[in-house]
């Protein structure tokens, strides 16, 4: 966790760290504070901002049917409907284009025949297919947040 420096930089870095932790596991505010070393009020402020942005949502974990006394602990998780990421993979025999939600679930996937070289025509085909995928009802209302490209080679 980042402390000191410019407060905006530190806050942005801490929000990113909390987001990364929540993308790996559902955690409570207490667990986030323990893992990050930040105070509980700092974690509360960060998670309130993330709720405001609709990045995360809250839920309650069950403990396998055991009788639990006291207040149930609220766990935070990434909101899968916040947005989506597109990935173009040139690393296999075919070119794969995939749209995923914020927790990595595939929403849509398409493939194109691979070619030995990435030509302007191939890039135009990828762009057209990606636009077609973004117009599908299954992705309606979801914002494209990032485009990732993977290619094999040195």
């Amino acid at each position: 966790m980042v402390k000191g420096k410019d407060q905006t930089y530190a806050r942005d870095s801490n929000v990113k760290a909390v987001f990364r932790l929540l993308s790996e596991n559902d955690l409570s505010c207490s667990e986030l504070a323990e893992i990050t070393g930040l105070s509980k009020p700092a974690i509360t402020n960060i998670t309130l901002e993330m709720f405001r942005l609709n990045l995360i949502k809250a839920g309650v974990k069950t403990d396998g049917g055991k009788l639990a006394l006291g207040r149930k602990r609220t766990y935070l998780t990434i909101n899968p409907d916040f947005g989506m990421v597109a990935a173009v993979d040139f690393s296999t025999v075919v070119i794969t284009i995939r749209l995923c939600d914020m927790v990595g679930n595939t929403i849509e996937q398409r493939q194109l025949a691979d070619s030995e070289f990435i030509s302007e025509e191939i890039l135009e085909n990828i762009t057209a297919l990606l636009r077609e995928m973004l117009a599908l009802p299954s992705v309606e209302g979801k914002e494209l947040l990032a485009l990732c490209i993977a290619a094999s080679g040195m």
Side-chain angles (χ1 to χ4, degrees):
M1 293 301 105
V2 177
K3 297 180 183 177
K5 279 193 173 186
D6 173 71
Q7 284 188 345
T8 303
Y9 174 79
R11 184 166 181 84
D12 288 347
S13 296
N14 291 337
V15 168
K16 288 176 186 174
V18 168
F19 187 85
R20 184 179 32 77
L21 287 168
L22 290 176
S23 68
E24 296 168 1
N25 290 303
D26 296 350
L27 299 168
S28 69
C29 285
S30 297
E31 291 170 332
L32 284 168
E34 185 179 318
I35 292 167
T36 61
L38 295 172
S39 68
K40 287 183 183 180
I43 290 293
T44 298
N45 288 335
I46 288 169
T47 56
L48 284 175
E49 177 67 12
M50 293 174 83
F51 273 117
R52 188 185 69 73
L53 295 170
N54 202 25
L55 279 171
I56 60 174
K57 60 183 185 175
V60 177
K61 276 189 182 175
T62 59
D63 53 354
K66 294 179 184 175
L67 180 62
L69 301 175
R71 189 172 71 179
K72 290 187 176 17
R73 183 175 278 188
T74 300
Y75 285 85
L76 306 173
T77 187
I78 300 297
N79 179 3
D81 297 324
F82 174 71
M84 62 185 169
V85 174
V88 180
D89 184 1
F90 293 99
S91 63
T92 61
V93 178
V94 295
I95 298 169
T96 303
I97 303 167
R98 183 175 290 157
L99 295 176
C100 296
D101 66 17
M102 294 304 294
V103 293
N105 299 318
T106 299
I107 302 169
E108 292 291 336
Q109 178 176 313
R110 301 287 187 277
Q111 294 182 324
L112 291 172
D114 195 6
S115 81
E116 196 170 326
F117 299 100
I118 301 171
S119 65
E120 190 171 328
E121 180 183 353
I122 293 285
L123 294 176
E124 287 172 1
N125 290 343
I126 290 169
T127 302
L129 191 54
L130 187 53
R131 284 187 180 159
E132 178 184 308
M133 291 170 69
L134 291 171
L136 293 169
S138 59
V139 299
E140 188 175 328
K142 293 182 173 87
E143 184 179 356
L144 181 62
L145 302 173
L147 173 64
C148 305
I149 298 173
S152 59
M154 299 177 94

